Amino acid sequence: RPSEWKYEFGGKTAAKGRKAFKRLPFDCCALSLRPFENPVATPEGVVFDLVNIVPYIKKHKKNPVNGEPLKLKQLKKLHFHKNKSGKYHCPISYKEFSLHTHIVAIKTSGNVYSYEAIEELNLRPKNMKDLLTGEPFKRSDILSIQDPHNFSEDRNVTSFLHLKKKGKKSESESEDTKSGLQDDESIQKVMKQANAIKRKREENVEKKLKHVPMSKY
């Protein structure tokens, strides 16, 4: 569904020879692809829902998006803020987040802001303190959650490793299903032939019975 990817999932038409870029909405878990309830971020800024990523890391010890080693202690709890309408927004500028917003988090506090607010109130005046808590942070503590100009593979849904593996598994299951259907078709063919033979025999029996004289009472 191209239109859905374009508008709902931030799809970008690819140049010839390049695959289309499909961005996951900022408020969705990169594992379940569903809206998150308890967001956490990896050191690269990939967001997951805590209830989904914890069991995955315990089992696989990897980041499901890129296959790189990932530990639970590397996850950072994020604090998104909502306005009265229940929409995620920057708690400083009060502007609602969208697919076109550059969203960042401060690693030391986990608070999520628009990059615009951080640039104007922290970076330019060199006031490196969290805008809500006053907690000091470094420039390296600014974690990009969504950058409309970032088209790296770890932001491209079509490149998510766990989805590629799931796709291959589905293909394998599809082949098994196809094989099973072929087997079913063979069985149905044999049954059809058997039923035809049975009907033929019954017809022959009926013909013979017609020539048998009825008993007189």
Side-chain angles (χ1 to χ4, degrees):
R1 295 173 289 183
S3 59
E4 180 179 331
W5 279 113
K6 182 177 180 182
Y7 298 107
E8 186 176 344
F9 284 83
K12 179 179 177 64
T13 303
K16 252 187 175 178
R18 295 175 63 185
K19 56 186 176 182
F21 185 92
K22 299 179 177 64
R23 189 186 301 281
L24 187 70
F26 71 87
D27 60 346
C28 286
C29 168
L31 184 56
S32 69
L33 309 185
R34 296 174 179 273
F36 53 61
E37 293 292 336
N38 300 288
V40 293
T42 67
E44 301 82 19
V46 179
V47 180
F48 296 98
D49 195 310
L50 189 67
V51 296
N52 297 323
I53 192 61
V54 169
Y56 189 95
I57 292 178
K58 284 184 176 180
K59 182 177 181 180
H60 303 285
K61 316 294 183 186
K62 295 179 180 180
N63 183 328
V65 167
N66 56 26
E68 295 295 323
L70 183 62
K71 298 179 180 179
L72 290 175
K73 64 180 182 180
Q74 291 179 281
L75 299 176
K76 182 62 188 179
K77 174 68 177 175
L78 299 178
H79 302 293
F80 277 84
H81 300 82
K82 290 183 178 182
N83 57 24
K84 292 181 179 179
S85 301
K87 302 289 185 180
Y88 288 113
H89 74 151
C90 174
I92 301 302
S93 68
Y94 300 109
K95 291 181 180 179
E96 291 185 5
F97 292 153
S98 72
L99 287 172
H100 308 293
T101 308
H102 188 176
I103 304 170
V104 298
I106 305 302
K107 290 180 182 179
T108 52
S109 67
N111 286 322
V112 179
Y113 305 95
S114 66
Y115 178 76
E116 181 183 17
I118 297 299
E119 183 179 39
E120 291 183 7
L121 301 174
N122 291 120
L123 299 179
R124 287 179 182 173
K126 297 182 180 179
N127 173 37
M128 304 304 280
K129 291 184 179 180
D130 189 281
L131 298 173
L132 290 179
T133 66
E135 190 176 354
F137 68 90
K138 299 176 182 178
R139 193 182 189 103
S140 58
D141 290 324
I142 301 175
L143 185 63
S144 183
I145 301 301
Q146 175 182 269
D147 182 351
H149 303 293
N150 180 1
F151 299 103
S152 60
E153 289 304 287
D154 64 353
R155 305 292 174 161
N156 189 355
V157 175
T158 59
S159 297
F160 286 5
L161 191 62
H162 70 95
L163 293 181
K164 286 183 176 181
K165 289 182 177 180
K166 190 174 182 180
K168 288 180 180 178
K169 184 179 179 181
S170 296
E171 287 177 8
S172 176
E173 291 175 348
S174 178
E175 286 300 316
D176 292 341
T177 301
K178 186 177 179 182
S179 176
L181 287 173
Q182 289 175 341
D183 290 342
D184 287 344
E185 288 174 359
S186 298
I187 293 172
Q188 289 174 5
K189 188 176 181 180
V190 171
M191 289 297 294
K192 189 175 182 180
Q193 291 174 344
N195 288 332
I197 293 173
K198 182 180 179 181
R199 283 196 301 271
K200 188 69 176 177
R201 287 177 178 172
E202 290 174 349
E203 289 173 0
N204 291 334
V205 170
E206 288 178 359
K207 286 179 181 179
K208 288 180 180 179
L209 288 175
K210 286 181 180 179
H211 296 287
V212 177
M214 295 294 290
S215 300
K216 291 182 179 181
Y217 296 94

